[in-house]
Each structure stands twice: as C-alpha cells, then as structure tokens.
Amino acid sequence: MAAPWQDVVRDAAAVREAAAVAVDAALLAGVLMRTGEQPNASDVVNYAPFTLLPSAVPRPLFEQAYAVQQDFNLLVDAISQNKEFLAQTLASTIKVDDFTARLFQIYMQVLEEGLAQTVFLGINRSDYMFDCGLDGTGALRQIEINTIAASFGGLTSRTADVHRLVLKVLGKNEEASHLLPNNPAKGLALGIAKAWEIYGSQRAVVMFLVEDIQRNIFDQRCVENELWNRNIRVIRRRFRDVFEQGSLDGSRRLYMDGQEVAVVYYREGYVPQTYDQQNWEARLLLERSRAVKCPDIATQLAGTKKVQQELSRPGTLEKLLPGRPEAVARIRATFAGLYSLDEGEEGDRITATAIADPDSFVLKPQREGGGNNLYGEELRQVLEKIKDSPERTSYILMDKIKPQPALNYLLRAHSPLRVSECISELGIFGVYVRQGQELVLNQAAGHLLRTKAIEHADGGVAAGVAVLDTPYLV
Ligand code: ADP
Ligand code: MG
C-alpha cells in the first residue's frame, strides 16, 4: 500500500526543491499558525507543520470511515440524551476523576432545572488508525471520537492544494489529479448556520468560545469566514469574558455585552487547566442558557474515554441504537479492544495482562488534547503502582494499534529537512443538528489526515508531534 513516490523520497535534490515550493504554497494557501513566541499576535506567523508528500491510505478503509460517520453522529446524539447510560457509565470514574465529576455535576444541575436549549448541534471528529494485521491486510480501528473542540477542519481544507502542487513539481501530474477535494470548514459552518437559523433570531450572533492563548486562530477563522459569507455575525470570547459580561434574560436567552447569542461553539473547555472557579461559573451559565451549545455538556461527556470503553461491551450499542442493526454492525467493525479497569475480577485480569505485555496496550486517562496516554515501560510502572487502588478506575486500557510505517518528510518551521518513518491517523468530521426530537441534519463533513514520526507514541498537531497531511487513496 505504498504511495507511488517512494522512488523520489531518497532523491535529495528533488526533495529540497519540492520542499521550498511546498512551504511557500502553504503560506499562500493560508495553512498558518501563530508562533510559540507570539501566540496572540498575527504580526509574525508561520506555516502549520505538514508533510511534504501525501500519505497512502487504503481506499476501502477510507470509504469505510466515511460510511460509518452518520452512524457515529446518531450514536453520540443518542448517548447525549440517555441520562441513565451516562450516569451508570461514569459512576466509577467520577468518584476518582475530579474533572469528569465537575462536568457531570453541571450536567445534573442543568437537567434538574430543565433544559432551555431546544436546538442541538454536534460537531465531532472520529479518528482512526490502520492496523496492519499479521496477514498484511489493514483494518480501520477507531482511536477515539472527539465531541468537543475537534480542530484542523479549517487548515486541512487548504492542504490538498499544496500537496497537488508538490506532486506536480515532482513530475507526478497524474497522481496530483487524484487528490480529493476536502472542505470541512464549509461543512462545519453549514451545521453552525443551520443551528443558528433554527434558533430563529436574525440579530443573534455565533460565539466562538476560545482559549486565552490562540495559536491556532487561523483554523478557526476558516470556519468563521464561512459564517460571515452567509451574513452570520461571529464574535470570539473567552470563559473570562463570559464570566464578566455574560447574562441570561427571563427566558434564559444568552447575552454577551448586549448581543444575543444563538450558538456557542466551544474551541476550549476540554482540559481541567481551563477552569478556575469563575470559569466553571461561566460554563454553568452557558449550559443553563437557551443558546445552542456545540457541544452541550451531555455531548462532551459522551466523548469521554470511559464512554468509549463501555460502548465496546457486548449489547451496549444495541441498547443505545435500538432497531438499527446495520448501524451497530458498522460502528462495531471499527472498534479496537477496549477494557475497563474498574475494581473487580475483570479489571484485575486485564491489569495483569497489560503488566506482562505493556507494548500491546495503551493506558488512557479521561483527558483530551494529546500527551496524556501511557505506553510501554511507563504504562507498566503506573499500572504496578495503582493496580490495587481505586485510582485505577480513572483510566481505561486499549489495544495498541500498529500501522505500517512509510517514509515522508515532516515540514516544520526551523527544523531540518530529513526523512522520517511515519504513521498516519485519519479523522472524519461529522455534523448534525437536532430540533427537539427531530434530526434535521446528519452528515460527514470532510476529513483530516495527521501524520507523525514513529518515535512518538502520542500526540496531535497542537501538541507539536503530528503534522497535517493529505490522503492519497491506493
Ligand atoms: P487525545 O484525546 O489526547 O487526543 P487519543 O486517544 O486520541 O487521546 O490519543 C492520542 C494519540 O495517541 C493518538 O493521536 C494516537 O497517536 C495515539 N494513540 C491513542 N490510542 C492509540 C492506540 N490504541 N494505538 C496506538 N496509538 C494510539
Ligand atoms: Mg485524539
């Protein structure tokens, strides 16, 4: 399944020439990030890291990932409406994990008060790796589904053009013409616009809830600009701004400095470090409001690693998606082995197995954003330490996926040009809108391919490990 340019990978002169073209093309196309030195200024910016060459992706697995996306949208939406399932699934986790507990507390609080929100918008990204089995046939394996702040839909809408040009420079015109168009920014904006429209107030704005440090602003701007093109007003605010200026009226409409907010699109709020007492209060205010939250707190909880693990238990999907056996089968076909570490015999057994064979597993806490998982020797040490303590419950275990590496160049500002053995992770963006009980939009909205050198076990683009890529279907 190698891409048809493994011949040029070792041609130093051709690679140097193509890399120079690629970097300038990325800058021209707007594949941009702010710098680490000046993360909140656009005076000096750089290109977001990306691969020199598109990476090979098996066509059947790519198509499988697209084909299951609407099912995953349905599933996430169903979980978010199933209080009993969320409460049961997270019961052990919230005893030991403060962050999940805090989110869960807000969830219960807004349910008790009664939801003011009637329109629901989900934007998620389901991520996969291609496991190469012993017989060499690859299998699509879900790594996780991100239900909050799934990023890079904007920048990746511009990477295919860059790679098309690179292939032409390398004399691969025919292959260049096969690179697929891809525009998640448009798809995400379509969902946001639909939710805004159903909310039904011409004057109301869409609020991007953003981080204090905004290096990845251009990715968000791609989506923002699609909304402006539709004459929808966009504002950017932080939790702190919501705490200071946000308010609800008598029917729990949300106002930010006098402007009504129809949709709150979170690009923040998924790590504990975000929240001090005031920011928790701001989060609660948003969740209590009538505004469409993307995602609402229930949908954020639906994206926890603990929920992912429980979904893999026999019978769970059937209960969550009754009467949809085909959807259940498509979803299940993407699952890797996932194991609960809850106290009891089942947890004891898998803990012992993982300690004996740590390289076959990944140990995951209830965290997002990369860099939190444990592998190999570190996994073994941590499991040894916590195996008899309730702390074990805050993690899940997962089979380690082992993709076939391929050679590529990771282009990163201020880094030397050198060949790396790489593996890729494919993400499919999903968008859906529900009005009351009726699903009015359910789509796959495009894809993201991220590639990293094999020496890194963990980590995404924002974490400085993976880079943007474009799939070349083989
Ligand atoms: P996060 O929420 O931090 O993004 P992920 O579950 O996506 O957590 O894991 C982060 C990274 O770790 C992934 O992008 C992938 O590179 C690696 N990873 C996660 N799970 C596995 C797995 N089961 N096998 C191999 N690599 C994995
Ligand atoms: Mg991830």
Side-chain angles (χ1 to χ4, degrees):
M1 77 177 202
W5 32 86
Q6 294 294 312
D7 57 332
V8 291
V9 163
R10 299 283 189 189
D11 181 340
V15 163
R16 244 192 334 272
E17 185 191 357
V21 171
V23 165
D24 290 341
L27 289 162
L28 281 172
V31 184
L32 302 173
M33 260 187 167
R34 285 175 172 167
T35 63
E37 294 73 40
Q38 291 192 58
N40 278 341
S42 294
D43 305 59
V44 176
V45 298
N46 221 318
Y47 58 94
F50 65 102
T51 58
L52 176 65
L53 299 160
S55 293
V57 168
R59 183 187 294 274
L61 304 188
F62 184 81
E63 289 173 351
Q64 184 188 352
Y66 262 95
V68 72
Q69 187 54 45
Q70 286 171 306
D71 304 323
F72 271 117
N73 291 346
L74 277 182
L75 177 63
V76 172
D77 189 42
I79 297 168
S80 78
Q81 296 173 78
N82 194 326
K83 178 177 153 202
E84 196 192 346
F85 174 77
L86 280 175
Q88 234 170 44
T89 300
L90 296 173
S92 57
T93 310
I94 60 180
K95 283 194 198 132
V96 286
D97 187 86
D98 288 341
F99 180 58
T100 312
R102 208 65 206 257
L103 293 171
F104 191 79
Q105 197 187 330
I106 292 183
Y107 169 58
M108 292 307 282
Q109 206 170 330
V110 295
L111 279 186
E112 257 159 53
E113 185 181 19
L115 294 184
Q117 182 177 347
T118 57
V119 182
F120 297 83
L121 164 65
I123 291 179
N124 62 58
R125 200 189 66 221
S126 183
D127 290 337
Y128 306 90
M129 282 181 166
F130 315 113
D131 201 19
C132 63
L134 294 175
D135 57 354
T137 59
L140 187 73
R141 290 285 167 259
Q142 187 182 50
I143 296 298
E144 65 158 346
I145 189 158
N146 303 279
T147 61
I148 180 165
S151 57
F152 293 107
L155 295 188
T156 203
S157 299
R158 290 141 188 248
T159 49
D161 284 346
V162 176
H163 283 123
R164 212 170 279 123
L165 182 58
V166 168
L167 291 186
K168 287 184 182 181
V169 171
L170 293 168
K172 310 273 181 192
N173 288 1
E174 170 67 20
E175 289 86 348
S177 72
H178 295 319
L179 291 184
L180 299 171
N182 182 35
N183 199 341
K186 214 180 180 103
L188 304 194
L190 175 82
I192 296 171
K194 186 83 192 159
W196 176 86
E197 183 192 312
I198 301 175
Y199 180 88
S201 170
Q202 279 293 321
R203 286 179 322 275
V205 302
V206 170
M207 176 164 76
F208 280 45
L209 207 286
V210 297
E211 292 164 286
D212 292 336
I213 292 180
Q214 300 169 30
R215 270 196 81 184
N216 202 18
I217 191 168
F218 301 108
D219 183 53
Q220 299 162 7
R221 293 286 196 209
C222 292
V223 183
E224 283 174 44
N225 292 355
E226 292 283 347
L227 291 167
W228 285 109
N229 287 343
R230 294 164 177 268
N231 296 322
I232 297 173
R233 261 196 109 66
V234 180
I235 60 173
R236 298 172 58 85
R237 296 289 188 277
R238 302 159 308 158
F239 274 114
R240 185 55 31 124
D241 304 316
V242 174
F243 176 78
E244 285 167 2
Q245 280 136 27
S247 63
L248 305 185
D249 74 4
S251 53
R252 283 193 267 160
R253 289 178 184 277
L254 174 65
Y255 287 85
M256 277 301 296
D257 13 88
Q259 305 176 87
E260 183 177 357
V261 178
V263 179
V264 180
Y265 174 41
Y266 290 105
R267 293 294 298 252
E268 159 76 318
Y270 52 91
V271 294
Q273 296 83 328
T274 299
Y275 294 99
D276 54 15
Q277 187 50 36
Q278 296 187 338
N279 289 0
W280 278 120
E281 282 177 36
R283 180 72 196 259
L284 178 62
L285 182 92
L286 296 173
E287 294 302 322
R288 290 184 57 232
S289 79
R290 177 179 293 270
V292 183
K293 272 77 65 184
C294 179
D296 67 345
I297 195 124
T299 306
Q300 180 173 357
L301 289 169
T304 51
K305 309 264 186 306
K306 183 63 191 174
V307 164
Q308 180 188 7
Q309 171 260 301
E310 280 300 309
L311 293 176
S312 74
R313 275 191 201 282
T316 304
L317 289 176
E318 285 81 354
K319 267 191 224 139
L320 290 165
L321 294 175
R324 294 183 183 270
E326 293 93 3
V328 165
R330 279 189 296 266
I331 290 171
R332 181 164 293 132
T334 68
F335 284 173
L338 287 149
Y339 312 95
S340 164
L341 292 177
D342 284 2
E343 290 175 287
E345 209 185 305
E346 181 193 344
D348 291 345
R349 226 178 310 120
I350 194 65
T351 302
T353 308
I355 286 173
D357 183 16
D359 286 329
S360 294
F361 296 93
V362 182
L363 183 63
K364 299 190 176 188
Q366 309 303 311
R367 291 291 174 272
E368 304 292 330
N372 302 299
N373 301 335
L374 300 165
Y375 305 81
E377 183 51 27
E378 207 184 346
L379 174 156
R380 198 189 59 73
Q381 282 173 14
V382 169
L383 271 187
E384 276 286 6
K385 205 172 91 209
I386 62 173
K387 67 179 185 212
D388 297 317
S389 111
E391 195 191 336
R392 190 175 89 183
T393 313
S394 64
Y395 294 87
I396 64 154
L397 259 184
M398 183 173 183
D399 283 344
K400 188 167 181 191
I401 308 307
K402 297 179 175 158
Q404 181 71 49
L407 297 180
N408 208 329
Y409 292 81
L410 307 183
L411 303 179
R412 198 177 267 132
H414 313 299
S415 293
L417 185 63
R418 64 180 174 83
V419 73
S420 304
E421 271 196 89
C422 298
I423 55 176
S424 301
E425 184 169 346
L426 175 70
I428 307 291
F429 287 96
V431 182
Y432 59 91
V433 176
R434 174 165 53 83
Q435 181 175 20
Q437 283 308 307
E438 192 198 349
L439 211 54
V440 293
L441 182 93
N442 180 10
Q443 293 183 354
H447 55 267
L448 166 71
L449 192 70
R450 292 172 299 166
T451 292
K452 65 180 183 186
I454 52 170
E455 45 281 16
H456 298 285
D458 203 288
V461 180
V465 171
V467 308
L468 302 172
D469 197 349
T470 298
Y472 181 82
L473 301 189
V474 292

